[in-house]
C-alpha cells in the first residue's frame, strides 16, 4: 500500500492510498489532479472519504464519483454531494482492506469528522524527515481534514473554542506514533506563530529548521505525528505553563483551559 499527498490549489493535499490497482482519496476538492494520478498509475478509485463540507474538500466529489463509481463517505450532519454514506462517531468505514474509525471533531465546522486507522497494513510513504527515501510503516493513520495541522489547528468557522479544544484532545490522545495527514501545507506559517508563543522551545526551533529545508526543496512537511505535535503545536500545548503565560500576555482574561485556548486561537487569527 502507498500513501501519497496529491497537491491541489495553492496549498491543499488530497491524500491517496493505493495498492497499485485500487485507490482511496481523502477530501478531493479538485477532481483533475486525482484523475491524472489515476490515469498515470492505472488505478481504479474505489472510495472517497470526506471530512467536512468546505468547497476545497468536496469540489471534485461529483466528477470523481461520476467518472469512477467510487463510494463516497462523509459527515452525517453536513451538506456533502449526494449520494454518500453519512457517518458520525462510532461508525466505521471498511475500504482498501482497512478499517477506519470515525471520530467527531467539531470546531472548524459543526459536523467535521476524522478517520483513524489503528492497524493499517504496511504502507509505503515518503517521510517528511526523509523525503527522498520511501518508508514502509504500519503505524496508525489519521486523516483529520482541517482540524489539526502541523503546529496549528483550523479556524473556528462554525464551532466554539470548547468544541475545538475537546476535538483536539481526542486527537492528542491517539497513539503517539500515529501519522497525521493534514490537508494543508500551512506548516511554516504555523511555526512562525508557534515560535512567537514559545520562542525558547528547543523542539520547536529544531522542527522549524527541518521544515524550512524541506520547503526549500519543495518537499511536503507532512505527514506529521501525534508525538511531534505534542512537542511543537501550541494548540495541543495550551495546558503547558509557557503557553498559558503567553496567552495571558495576549489576553489577561485567559485563566482556564478554554479561555487559554480561545486566546491562543484569537492571537493566531490576527498574527502577521
Amino acid at each position: 500500500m502507498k500513501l501519497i499527498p496529491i497537491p491541489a490549489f495553492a496549498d491543499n493535499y488530497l491524500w491517496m492510498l493505493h495498492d497499485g490497482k485500487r485507490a482511496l482519496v481523502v477530501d478531493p476538492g479538485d477532481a483533475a489532479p486525482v484523475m491524472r494520478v489515476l490515469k498515470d498509475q492505472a488505478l481504479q478509485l474505489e472510495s472517497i472519504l470526506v471530512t467536512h463540507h468546505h468547497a476545497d474538500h468536496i469540489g471534485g466529489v461529483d466528477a470523481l464519483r461520476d467518472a469512477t463509481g467510487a463510494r463516497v463517505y462523509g459527515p452525517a450532519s453536513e451538506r456533502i454531494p449526494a449520494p454518500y454514506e453519512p457517518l458520525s462517531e462510532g461508525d466505521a468505514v471498511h475500504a482498501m482492506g482497512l478499517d477506519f474509525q470515525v471520530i467527531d471533531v467539531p470546531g472548524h465546522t459543526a459536523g467535521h469528522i476524522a478517520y483513524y486507522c489503528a492497524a493499517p497494513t504496511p504502507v509505503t510513504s515518503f517521510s517528511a524527515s526523509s523525503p527522498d527515501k520511501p518508508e514502509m510503516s504500519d503505524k496508525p493513520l489519521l486523516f483529520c481534514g482541517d482540524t489539526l495541522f502541523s503546529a496549528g489547528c483550523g479556524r473556528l468557522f462554525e464551532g466554539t473554542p470548547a468544541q475545538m479544544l475537546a476535538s483536539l484532545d481526542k486527537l492528542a490522545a491517539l497513539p503517539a506514533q500515529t501519522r497525521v495527514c493534514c490537508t494543508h501545507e500551512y506548516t511554516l506559517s504555523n511555526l512562525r506563530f508557534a515560535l512567537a508563543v514559545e520562542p525558547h522551545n528547543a523542539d520547536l526551533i529544531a522542527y522549524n529548521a527541518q521544515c524550512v529545508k524541506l520547503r526549500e526543496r519543495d518537499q511536503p512537511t507532512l505527514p506529521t505525528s501525534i508525538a511531534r505535535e505534542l512537542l511543537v503545536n501550541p494548540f495541543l500545548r495550551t495546558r503547558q505553563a509557557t503557553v498559558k503565560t503567553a496567552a495571558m500576555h495576549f489576553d489577561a482574561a485567559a485563566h482556564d483551559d478554554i479561555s487559554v485556548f480561545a486566546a491562543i486561537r484569537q492571537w493566531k487569527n490576527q498574527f502577521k
Side-chain angles (χ1 to χ4, degrees):
M1 193 86 69
K2 292 184 178 180
L3 174 68
I4 57 173
I6 303 173
F9 306 117
D11 51 33
N12 284 61
Y13 290 134
L14 319 180
W15 290 96
M16 177 180 282
L17 278 169
H18 75 84
D19 62 6
K21 296 180 180 180
R22 304 170 300 155
L24 169 157
V25 71
V26 183
D27 285 345
D30 186 358
V34 178
M35 292 300 297
R36 282 195 295 271
V37 173
L38 294 174
K39 181 179 179 182
D40 290 347
Q41 301 197 31
L43 301 172
Q44 175 62 42
L45 185 65
E46 289 193 347
S47 303
I48 298 171
L49 307 185
V50 176
T51 63
H52 66 290
H53 68 84
H54 286 163
D56 63 324
H57 293 252
I58 65 170
V61 168
D62 281 333
L64 288 170
R65 185 202 296 107
D66 292 347
T68 67
R71 189 170 183 177
V72 180
Y73 302 85
S77 61
E78 297 199 351
R79 293 175 64 87
I80 306 301
Y84 81 101
E85 183 168 331
L87 302 169
S88 57
E89 186 155 322
D91 291 332
V93 174
H94 184 75
M96 295 290 296
L98 303 175
D99 290 310
F100 292 92
Q101 172 189 345
V102 176
I103 306 172
D104 285 342
V105 284
H108 181 66
T109 65
H112 201 304
I113 61 175
Y115 300 86
Y116 173 69
C117 183
T121 56
V123 172
T124 300
S125 64
F126 287 88
S127 166
S129 59
S130 302
D132 300 320
K133 297 180 180 179
E135 178 183 272
M136 182 74 77
S137 174
D138 59 358
K139 296 173 183 176
L141 275 173
L142 174 69
F143 296 115
C144 55
D146 286 356
T147 297
L148 176 63
F149 298 128
S150 190
C153 75
R155 285 179 177 265
L156 277 62
F157 288 119
E158 299 172 11
T160 66
Q163 286 178 314
M164 182 61 105
L165 180 58
S167 294
L168 292 173
D169 283 345
K170 287 183 185 180
L171 301 186
L174 294 174
Q177 69 270 28
T178 300
R179 287 168 292 173
V180 181
C181 298
C182 317
T183 50
H184 289 279
E185 184 58 75
Y186 289 165
T187 307
L188 290 187
S189 64
N190 287 340
L191 285 168
R192 284 193 291 274
F193 174 70
L195 285 165
V197 177
E198 290 190 283
H200 305 298
N201 181 331
D203 294 302
L204 184 53
I205 292 167
Y207 183 50
N208 181 67
Q210 174 188 320
C211 290
V212 167
K213 291 179 180 178
L214 288 170
R215 296 310 294 153
E216 286 174 348
R217 300 198 301 268
D218 199 30
Q219 297 284 354
T221 61
L222 304 167
T224 181
S225 69
I226 294 296
R228 173 179 288 145
E229 295 309 307
L230 289 170
L231 295 174
V232 305
N233 192 322
F235 297 101
L236 299 190
R237 295 174 55 80
T238 54
R239 298 177 180 90
Q240 297 293 321
T242 48
V243 178
K244 291 172 68 174
T245 299
M248 291 178 68
H249 281 302
F250 175 78
D251 180 356
H255 64 281
D256 60 10
D257 289 353
I258 295 171
S259 60
V260 168
F261 177 85
I264 295 295
R265 183 60 259 181
Q266 182 58 37
W267 184 5
K268 177 65 167 66
N269 291 347
Q270 58 195 67
F271 185 77
K272 303 295 184 183

